[in-house]
């Protein structure tokens, strides 16, 4: 079987993990090249992972004929632009979440994808986590009856340095963090979100207001078929990387996730201390790998993408509404865009 | 030491437990009498617990000189009226939550208590649960720094029979169930709630709308000092009686509660099945007992009540705002009443 | 119904709890008197619990006609002697474990009980713990098929003071601590123990050898029907009071117990710290209470004792064999005594 | 850097996983060839993993100059012989546990390794599991003081087919399964085992006696410095693949392992059912990978093997003693061989 030629665009923390997965753990893929605006970073990653080609120009990389697909892991604000460039160049695309940081850009990206007839998968990797996947399967089988209440918590561990906000690499909390839960909410509830209401807090870090961001937020959800929900996101919970979801149905419930990392507990007369999960790249290591394999597999076999551009758009619409509610203090309807 | 003469008013499920606690497990108290509108029920409980006097008239019971204090466990809607009668009769009062089901009645009750100079403790028994009490202690000691995010879940197990709604014995979900979380939110965050927003759902039981009630609700909270939170309440989660609270602070966090009942797990090739908590009277058996002992002790020693009328009023104000938000779909400010 | 007149003999930590249970929480019993060799202790407990009669002479207490039953909570080495005295006095008996500390004394006690025609229940309170009781029920129902492997761990928390060993109040580890597991092994495996092998360790406290005791021990078990097992006991594990049992059957398994006390967890960047169980009197508070109620109930209704003298004898036989194995280093058959 | 040329010998379930790890996830290694007596199996695995060379003759494979190291995953009984052949051929060796199934063969293998001056690492992969590794680190740092009691449980899930016993592919339970715990016991207690005593059971499968094997066993351990311990192994516990270890020290304790697999829990009115660990290849997927990387890395950098032949020999000595005790019913001293 011919291998899928892949280029990873953006090799910061996330992009490097994608590069490593495609380079080492997806035998059906050939990681032809990586690209990054930082010449130093791109060369260092290329050396470490023994990748032949390293570009500082995306355009140049996209000209290679032996690159059939790209993985986009640039800062969030460039996602849409890079999708468009890749689509024009005829490459299939796996794009990190969020699809874009405005609805207009998202629409533009989806139109470019549609015109070019390329495939687009959005990086909602939680769908590939064994626990989430098992839950979805049992929900589809009707095991918990009608899902009524969706609850999700996503807490990052360490305080992000101020530079991370100043650089504008990531979108606001709802776009970078909560968007995973918005996607999972749609996927597990098998329904769309009609309206949201959010409160946020930044009292322990008021300077984030300068960057349009917050420390933590709670988002109430109203689903189209009558279900409700709440998502809490926290940028710096300190104790762990803690992602958990609960769905209460009419016949049963499902809980996903655990704060525990390695199953080791240390005990003394002062109590017990456990090893907690500390980073999304370790908690979801397998999910990222299955995501990569799925992408390569669907492209090579011509199956439709599993998490497509519309999924990216729908989650973004919820994030936009959640941010509006955070600004206005009022509930905000989720306005549906045409998904091309 | 002279014993405190006690009368329990209302001996349904909850009142019977109070009667049992005061009769058997609070040696400083003497359960002189119980009262209930149902002659059959009051006699049966009196027989079972060997209580000397059983009344079907509250007024008659309140005339006894050897009753120094009453425990009110009538339907929610009568709480305020019975408080007033007991206050006029000069009895100290332990009243089940909620204090009342309207702010006007609550004010009336508090004024009567104040005029009569009697003591009033409100039955927010979670404050006496070992886990909640340990959390509060560590929060007070500053162990988690500034509390930022308050999360709480309160799910009852079995579907309440329709008759329970028809009888109007309990107030709407936010008054009967969520009110515990409203109190705990204030107590653990050491702050007041400024505004709430709620969504509710009744899709699996639309007939509850006839009784002004809902199956489940999520309530976003904004605290006065800038913290935020969310509470979810569910009247019939089926799998367990499940009460859990999490508080995320600037330096650490605390999780309270567990879905597990008896620590026994049964395993087979089909997986593991654990014994889950099944009822608030077993999960919080100790809390109710400590509550009873605390009441008797503070009355006998002349100390101020630990959970007083203002606490009851403040929680009620939040419930009222949450219900308004559920009706209007808009966020609703919590309006503060004078606590006499 | 006439109340059962009870006298608790020995009101140290354990006896005081029994006194409290019978005084306050067993309405069918009337705690007439308590007895203890220490005049100061017996008076203090009598005052605190408002018990009318306090004796320093067991003989004197046993002469009371209004005492129908005794609860024996003296040092282990006096159990057999007090059983005999109580039997001669015609009292029904609830005796703390172990039944005795030698097989000869145990036989003597059982013969006295038999001659006098009184009832004897042995204080293996774990049988009344909700988790153990649920396990037994499911084992009886055949849910795990044939039980094959019995595992049990019993770890006390704090280092016992040397005085506890010097006083000789308790028997050696296998008689005081492990004997609970010996009983549970028989009860849950529904089989008898044929042979044992034990190793012990005292390296961190070699002076215990002077008192014939050890810090910790492991006991391999061979059951008559072919099952096997192992019990570990530890006198000072420091981190918690930790009692857990696992039974592996041919169709399924059951795990009983949890190191967790109050369901509260505190988290910081240093990890998670949970509230662990700290004492057998809190972990098994309910079990002691149900034990007391069961005793009173079986006596008043004339039903046979639930944990009888033979149960006490059988567990003791295993402890004797385990101690012999610890001395000799060889496996040791469990020799069965006639249970009168 | 030149890559390490590797050949995996034996590509059944375990060998195939090694082949996959070396082929895909260890970039410093080049999986040159695989070998297996089954022509069909070796070709199938070679095809699936895209390995260039597939041999049915080990001797032939060992003649390749571009193979610098071999991974031995043949049936246990051939380990020693293949080690000798590989040593003679000058290859570095990673050998699955156990080193051999008799002490004589183990000695022969070690002598061959020593004569040839090649490296030998034994596949005690648990040492590379994050939880075990974290425990060892904290034990070395003295965090739990002196380790006193070692407890370990290793339960396989499904009933092995009779053919597995008939084929003689694996050694008896103590050699195949318990040997992991024997190694971990030495490694974590930082001590040697002086004596063991074991009971075994096969009542639910008496035909195993024909193959010298048992369904389950418990092994009491006495360590040289005075510590004690117990290990339980079970070939078919049904409910899960369940590996857990506890070490009780003079200052604290450490618990390793968890029966839980994917962190998903399904709840209904019938209780909770969790996803449990189901196979050693999933529970220890990372450990096998780190083991492979460590082997390649120590070879390429000329560092001494981390789990060497003596470690393999010492664990085997304990297994031999445990089997003797199982046969004789008596405790059995662990006789130390010279480790060349």
């Amino acid at each position: 079987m011919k291998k899928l030629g892949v280029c990873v665009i953006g090799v910061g923390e996330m992009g490097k993990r994608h590069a490593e997965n495609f380079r080492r753990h997806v035998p059906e893929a050939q990681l032809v090249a990586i690209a990054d605006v930082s010449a130093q970073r791109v060369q260092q990653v290329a050396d470490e992972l023994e990748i032949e080609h390293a570009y500082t120009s995306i355009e140049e990389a996209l000209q290679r004929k032996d690159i059939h697909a790209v993985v986009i892991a640039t800062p969030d604000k460039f996602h849409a632009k890079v999708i468009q460039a890749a689509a024009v160049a005829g490459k299939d695309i796996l794009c990190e979440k969020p699809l874009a940081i405005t609805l207009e850009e998202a629409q533009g990206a989806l139109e470019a994808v549609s015109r070019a007839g390329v495939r687009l998968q959005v990086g909602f990797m939680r769908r590939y986590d064994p626990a989430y996947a098992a839950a979805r399967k049992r929900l589809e089988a009707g095991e918990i009856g009608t899902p009524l209440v969706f609850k999700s918590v996503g807490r990052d561990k360490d305080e992000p340095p101020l530079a991370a906000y100043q650089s504008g690499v990531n979108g606001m909390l709802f776009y970078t963090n909560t968007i995973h839960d918005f996607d999972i909410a749609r996927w597990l509830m098998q329904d769309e979100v009609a309206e949201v209401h959010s409160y946020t807090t930044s009292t322990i870090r008021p300077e984030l207001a300068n960057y349009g961001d917050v420390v933590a937020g709670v988002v109430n959800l109203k689903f189209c078929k009558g279900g409700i929900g709440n998502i809490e996101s926290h940028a710096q919970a300190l104790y762990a990387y803690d992602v958990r979801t609960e769905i209460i149905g009419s016949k049963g419930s499902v809980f996903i996730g655990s704060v525990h990392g390695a199953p080791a507990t240390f005990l003394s007369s002062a109590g017990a201390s456990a090893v907690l999960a500390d980073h999304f790249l370790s908690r979801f290591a397998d999910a990222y790998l299955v995501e990569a394999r799925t992408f390569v597999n669907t492209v090579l076999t011509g199956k439709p993408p599993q998490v497509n551009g519309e999924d990216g758009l729908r989650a973004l619409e919820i994030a936009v509404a959640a941010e509006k509610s955070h600004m206005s203090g009022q509930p905000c309807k989720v306005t549906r865009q045409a998904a091309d």
Side-chain angles (χ1 to χ4, degrees), chain A residues 172 174-175 178 182 195-200 218-221 315-330 332-334:
Chain A
M172 178 259 183
F174 292 151
Y175 295 79
T178 325
F182 293 145
E195 192 181 291
V196 296
H197 174 270
S198 52
Y199 287 137
T200 63
V218 286
V219 183
N220 267 345
L221 307 170
L316 183 63
E317 290 162 354
I318 307 172
V320 166
E323 190 187 24
K324 269 192 201 159
S325 176
H326 141 69
M327 304 292 274
S328 68
Q330 297 302 311
C332 181
K333 290 204 188 312
V334 177

Side-chain angles (χ1 to χ4, degrees), chain A residues 11-171:
Chain A
V11 287
E13 184 180 46
M14 189 65 248
K16 189 182 164 188
R17 169 61 68 96
H18 281 303
E20 194 179 342
N21 278 344
F22 279 88
R23 169 70 182 85
R24 295 182 172 164
H25 305 165
V26 187
E28 297 81 4
Q30 172 75 26
L31 183 56
V32 174
I34 57 176
D36 197 289
V37 289
S38 158
Q40 194 197 346
R41 181 161 56 192
V42 78
Q43 197 53 56
Q44 196 177 333
V45 172
D47 288 350
E48 186 178 334
L49 297 177
E50 300 178 309
I51 301 158
E52 215 170 332
H53 305 288
Y55 293 92
T56 52
S57 153
I58 295 175
E59 291 69 26
E60 227 176 303
L62 289 176
Q63 287 170 12
R64 293 190 67 99
K65 290 273 163 47
D66 57 353
I67 292 176
H68 313 113
V70 298
V71 178
I72 303 175
T74 63
D76 295 359
K77 60 183 170 189
F78 302 130
H79 284 182
K81 213 178 65 175
V82 182
I83 288 173
Q84 287 191 306
V88 166
K91 313 301 188 193
D92 288 322
I93 302 161
L94 169 57
C95 180
E96 260 302 318
K97 50 89 228 171
L99 179 60
I101 56 171
T102 71
L103 293 175
E104 296 67 35
E105 286 183 330
Q107 288 284 23
L110 292 192
E111 283 162 22
V113 165
S114 175
R115 264 197 308 273
V118 297
R119 291 147 172 293
L120 169 62
Q121 179 177 332
V122 179
F124 291 128
M125 54 78 196
R126 284 191 201 167
R127 296 198 188 190
Y128 301 101
D129 177 65
Y132 279 96
R136 162 78 184 196
K137 215 167 153 184
R138 295 177 78 148
L139 276 158
E140 279 183 311
E143 287 191 33
I144 70 162
T146 307
L148 284 183
V149 181
F150 173 89
K151 297 288 293 295
S152 204
V153 135
R155 297 178 189 144
D156 285 321
K157 187 175 190 303
D158 295 316
E159 183 178 325
L162 199 58
Y165 294 99
Q166 291 167 328
S167 71
V169 164
N170 293 322

Side-chain angles (χ1 to χ4, degrees), chain A residues 129-276:
Chain A
D129 177 65
Y132 279 96
R136 162 78 184 196
K137 215 167 153 184
R138 295 177 78 148
L139 276 158
E140 279 183 311
E143 287 191 33
I144 70 162
T146 307
L148 284 183
V149 181
F150 173 89
K151 297 288 293 295
S152 204
V153 135
R155 297 178 189 144
D156 285 321
K157 187 175 190 303
D158 295 316
E159 183 178 325
L162 199 58
Y165 294 99
Q166 291 167 328
S167 71
V169 164
N170 293 322
M172 178 259 183
L173 185 73
F174 292 151
Y175 295 79
T176 295
N177 178 323
T178 325
I179 198 138
H180 276 299
D181 304 279
F182 293 145
D183 178 62
I184 286 296
R186 295 178 59 244
W187 190 57
L188 291 180
M189 295 292 278
Q190 299 163 65
D191 195 0
E192 298 295 336
V193 174
E195 192 181 291
V196 296
H197 174 270
S198 52
Y199 287 137
T200 63
T201 186
S202 294
T203 49
I204 55 163
R205 220 175 171 191
E207 64 273 25
L208 295 194
N210 301 331
Y211 311 100
D213 218 330
V214 299
V215 169
V218 286
V219 183
N220 267 345
L221 307 170
K222 184 195 271 183
F223 289 87
C224 290
K225 295 179 195 155
I228 57 174
N230 183 270
I231 299 169
E232 177 217 326
S233 301
H234 201 299
Q236 51 185 76
L238 294 185
Y239 67 89
Y241 174 71
D242 187 6
V243 167
R244 285 171 287 136
T245 299
E246 299 183 8
I247 299 178
I248 314 305
S250 60
K251 288 192 200 155
S253 296
V254 57
F255 289 5
I256 305 154
S258 161
V259 74
H260 292 286
T265 307
F266 304 92
L267 307 105
S268 70
S269 53
S273 84
V275 179
L276 303 184

